[in-house]
Amino acid sequence: MLNDPFQRLNLDREVLTVSQLNNRARLLLEDVFAQIWVEGEISNLARPASGHVYFTLKDKNAQVRCALFRQNALRVRQALRDGLAVKVRGKVSLFEGRGDYQLILDSVEPAGDGALRLAFEALKDKLAAEGLFAAERKRRLPAHPCRVGIVSSPTGAVIRDIVSVFRRRAPQVELTLIPTAVQGREATAQIVRALALADAQGFDALILARGGGSLEDLWCFNEEAVARAVAACRTPIVSAVGHETDISIADFVADVRAPTPSAAAELLAPSSADLQQRLSALQQRLLLRMRERLRHETLRLDGLSRRLRHPGERLQQQAQRIDDLEQRLLRAIDRRLCAGQERLARLETRLAAQHPGRSLHLLRQRLEHLAQRLPRAMRAALGTRQQHLQGLAQTLHIVSPLATLGRGYSILLDERGRAIRRAEQTQPGQRLKARLGEGELDVRVEDNHLQPTTLPLL
């Protein structure tokens, strides 16, 4: 065979076999059309047991055979069927055995991808102009989170990968799944509700996660409602939507974008080995600080020791001061006794001049007068209070809840006897007491219809 299969036949009119012709034609086609996109409609779809997919791609004027081998067919998320408009990527080749011209494909996408790309860019420009992508509004992720919420589908490999990373790197972190659909017509509304619910539960951080897929599969994460729900979250949020090459509007709005759900988990799961290494470094620093402090205090103690005086001198000074204070105390006691004796004599003279007998006589007369007035005043006050009490009793009977209970109503009371007026005063499973017109009932709250159910994972 010639080194260059595309050179023209020489003047000797080289004669090729059919195999040589088809081989040169295949190499020529694959070299010139190595990577192209073609749009058309699927027909004559075939799926043999080998796992390969064969179909004809056609438009209104022409058609071409296409081959999608098994390893590439497994990556196609869209369900292929006859009549589906698609865009395919691959190389032009030739099946040498039959001389058939065909496309060897490595990717198949729905033909509507172009319209979605335009909508994606339009929404991206709109939200960027509003500042939703600005770096200054991004919040830092907590270095050591205790509670992490995961907004994702409860099925599939995504949630298993995230849980596996946390179990390996940070098993102490509490994970809570807020389940939601991540594909389909209802996915957008469910994601918005799940984000609002997760943001209200006080998590340290949130993970918005989904596995890879086509642009249509991931489109709910490109909706404006989801983008604004992410922006409204007060909790730091990591977006991990699709594979590393997949970019969504939610990635731009989130505080941090992770290329995969596992990478998002690693961002929020501090490595135990790293923490141990940091702890060892801090321990070494502490030992150095302690040694430095001991050396400093030793020097200080030496200085104080040199300044310390013999205690005998201090004792002599204190003994002399005690003798002086003793003399002063004795003189002060003598002066205090003399002054007290003089005051006592004056008080005895005044007491003799003011004998209590006269005062006692006047007080006894006043006491007898008051004793006569007291019973009359008590009887008058008691009669007035009884009349007032009867009036209040009549008024109370008119507005008494017992009269209302007698007409068939009831009052719900909690374990402390407080009346239940709102559903948020109760918890599912709480025991209450129903007060009736005659008797009481014990009841239990089954559901107050306030809190959606979340699924704890660890």
Side-chain angles (χ1 to χ4, degrees):
M1 181 182 294
L2 298 175
N3 293 330
D4 184 359
F6 311 126
Q7 70 181 11
R8 295 181 179 274
L9 298 178
N10 57 28
L11 297 178
D12 294 334
R13 299 184 63 182
E14 177 186 6
V15 178
L16 302 176
T17 65
V18 175
S19 298
Q20 290 174 330
L21 173 63
N22 286 352
N23 179 260
R24 293 190 183 189
R26 178 180 65 81
L27 294 176
L28 176 63
L29 290 172
E30 291 181 354
D31 181 69
V32 177
F33 300 101
Q35 190 73 274
I36 62 170
W37 285 90
V38 182
E39 183 174 346
E41 180 181 312
I42 294 177
S43 65
N44 302 321
L45 182 68
R47 298 178 182 271
S50 62
H52 307 320
V53 178
Y54 301 97
F55 58 86
T56 300
L57 191 66
K58 66 179 183 178
D59 58 20
K60 62 181 180 179
N61 297 320
Q63 65 181 22
V64 61
R65 292 290 297 169
C66 298
L68 182 65
F69 295 124
R70 184 175 180 273
Q71 64 271 21
N72 293 322
L74 294 175
R75 295 200 299 267
V76 176
R77 302 288 181 176
Q78 183 74 18
L80 302 181
R81 65 181 186 278
D82 287 342
L84 179 66
V86 294
K87 289 194 304 183
V88 299
R89 183 183 67 187
K91 63 181 178 180
V92 179
S93 184
L94 190 77
F95 182 49
E96 297 182 23
R98 292 197 304 267
D100 288 343
Y101 158 76
Q102 63 181 358
L103 289 174
I104 305 298
L105 307 180
D106 56 37
S107 177
V108 178
E109 295 182 3
D113 181 66
L116 294 180
R117 288 292 178 188
L118 292 176
F120 177 91
E121 294 299 331
L123 180 59
K124 177 183 174 183
D125 294 341
K126 175 183 176 182
L127 298 182
E130 295 181 16
L132 265 65
F133 305 160
E136 55 269 17
R137 64 174 300 277
K138 306 289 186 182
R139 288 154 297 193
R140 296 181 60 183
L141 299 181
H144 302 285
C146 297
R147 299 178 64 242
V148 174
I150 305 170
V151 179
S152 184
S153 172
T155 60
V158 169
I159 190 63
R160 292 195 299 271
D161 292 344
I162 293 176
V163 173
S164 175
V165 171
F166 274 97
R167 282 178 176 169
R168 173 171 50 85
R169 291 173 58 91
Q172 74 280 1
V173 177
E174 176 186 342
L175 300 180
T176 302
L177 173 65
I178 298 86
T180 179
V182 292
Q183 180 178 344
R185 187 173 299 176
E186 302 296 328
T188 300
Q190 290 191 27
I191 293 172
V192 171
R193 287 195 298 269
L195 286 171
L197 173 62
D199 191 41
Q201 294 191 20
F203 293 112
D204 297 320
L206 297 176
I207 297 177
L208 178 62
R210 188 211 188 279
S214 65
L215 185 61
E216 286 82 358
D217 295 339
L218 303 176
W219 189 251
C220 56
F221 295 94
N222 295 321
E223 295 286 356
E224 183 174 357
V226 173
R228 297 195 181 278
V230 172
C233 284
R234 298 185 300 272
T235 309
I237 184 167
V238 179
S239 175
V241 177
H243 296 303
E244 186 170 357
T245 57
D246 296 322
I247 300 294
S248 67
I249 296 295
D251 293 335
F252 292 109
V253 183
D255 297 295
V256 176
R257 179 202 176 248
T260 62
S262 297
E266 291 180 357
L267 288 174
L268 293 172
S271 173
S272 301
D274 294 341
L275 292 177
Q276 184 63 38
Q277 184 177 1
R278 185 182 178 191
L279 181 61
S280 299
L282 292 174
Q283 184 178 9
Q284 293 297 323
R285 290 177 58 189
L286 178 60
L287 290 175
L288 291 176
R289 291 289 183 88
M290 290 176 63
R291 293 192 183 104
E292 181 65 22
R293 183 66 178 272
L294 286 174
R295 187 183 66 82
H296 175 74
E297 294 299 331
T298 301
L299 294 175
R300 182 170 176 268
L301 180 60
D302 292 340
L304 292 175
S305 298
R306 288 191 294 268
R307 294 169 55 190
L308 183 64
R309 298 174 58 186
H310 194 279
E313 299 178 5
R314 300 291 299 274
L315 289 175
Q316 292 177 358
Q317 294 177 357
Q318 295 297 330
Q320 185 177 0
R321 179 173 174 77
I322 289 174
D323 292 340
D324 180 61
L325 292 175
E326 181 181 4
Q327 295 299 323
R328 292 172 60 186
L329 178 61
L330 291 175
R331 290 192 296 269
I333 290 174
D334 290 339
R335 289 195 299 269
R336 190 66 177 270
L337 285 175
C338 293
Q341 289 174 352
E342 292 176 359
R343 185 168 180 270
L344 179 60
R346 290 195 302 270
L347 292 175
E348 288 177 347
T349 302
R350 291 174 59 188
L351 180 61
Q354 298 179 0
H355 195 279
R358 182 172 176 274
S359 299
L360 288 174
H361 177 70
L362 294 175
L363 292 174
R364 188 178 293 110
Q365 289 180 348
R366 186 181 178 190
L367 180 61
E368 292 175 353
H369 177 68
L370 292 175
Q372 294 175 1
R373 292 176 57 191
L374 180 61
R376 293 195 299 270
M378 290 177 63
R379 286 192 294 272
L382 186 59
T384 302
R385 294 297 179 89
Q386 287 177 344
Q387 292 177 0
H388 185 241
L389 180 61
Q390 290 175 357
L392 292 176
Q394 292 177 357
T395 303
L396 179 62
H397 180 71
I398 293 173
V399 298
S400 173
L402 297 176
T404 303
L405 296 178
R407 295 197 298 270
Y409 293 89
S410 65
I411 299 175
L412 288 177
L413 304 174
D414 62 13
E415 60 273 7
R416 297 183 180 179
R418 297 176 298 187
I420 302 300
R421 296 181 175 87
R422 299 182 303 275
E424 55 262 33
Q425 292 181 256
T426 66
Q427 297 291 333
Q430 183 178 359
R431 294 287 183 177
L432 302 176
K433 188 179 291 297
R435 178 76 177 272
L436 308 177
E438 293 183 5
E440 297 177 342
L441 295 175
D442 288 330
V443 298
R444 184 168 68 91
V445 177
E446 292 295 335
D447 191 1
N448 58 11
H449 301 287
L450 292 179
Q451 291 291 333
T453 303
T454 60
L455 306 176
L457 297 179
L458 294 179

